[in-house]
Amino acid sequence: MATDLTQIPGIGKNMAQHLINAGYPDIDSLKGQEPDEIYRRDCEFLGFPVDRCALYAYRLAVHYADNDGKLPANKSNWWNWKD
């Protein structure tokens, strides 16, 4: 699997930088992680609350990493991972 974060659907350069800043530099580093913790670390790094849409993208990204790049057919966009 490619390790470039932008290979994950919905993760462009901006969101990839958020993940890197939070301590997740590649796809492998997302394996087994908790999206809520990634979101917390992102907010902590920036010093203010990040839009919750980021949390939904992190849910997608972790699932992608944990499942060798496979996503459920009905969950291929970040907004499909809302609460």
Side-chain angles (χ1 to χ4, degrees), residues 35-36 52-53 55-56 59 75 78-83:
D36 289 313
R52 283 193 57 86
C53 294
L55 172 60
Y56 312 146
R59 289 174 180 165
K75 293 201 169 216
W78 65 263
W79 55 85
N80 300 129
W81 296 83
K82 291 181 183 180
D83 297 323

Side-chain angles (χ1 to χ4, degrees), residues 9-72:
I11 304 294
K13 288 183 180 184
N14 182 46
M15 288 307 297
Q17 192 59 56
H18 277 257
L19 286 165
I20 292 166
N21 292 343
Y24 305 92
D26 53 40
I27 293 171
D28 285 341
S29 67
L30 293 170
K31 290 181 179 179
Q33 299 301 312
E34 292 293 330
D36 289 313
E37 176 63 12
I38 297 170
Y39 179 76
R40 186 197 66 74
R41 291 178 67 172
D42 186 16
C43 294
E44 185 177 279
F45 178 84
L46 293 172
F48 57 85
V50 177
D51 189 297
R52 283 193 57 86
C53 294
L55 172 60
Y56 312 146
Y58 300 154
R59 289 174 180 165
L60 181 154
V62 168
H63 184 90
Y64 182 95
D66 285 344
N67 293 280
D68 296 320
K70 294 177 184 75
L71 295 171

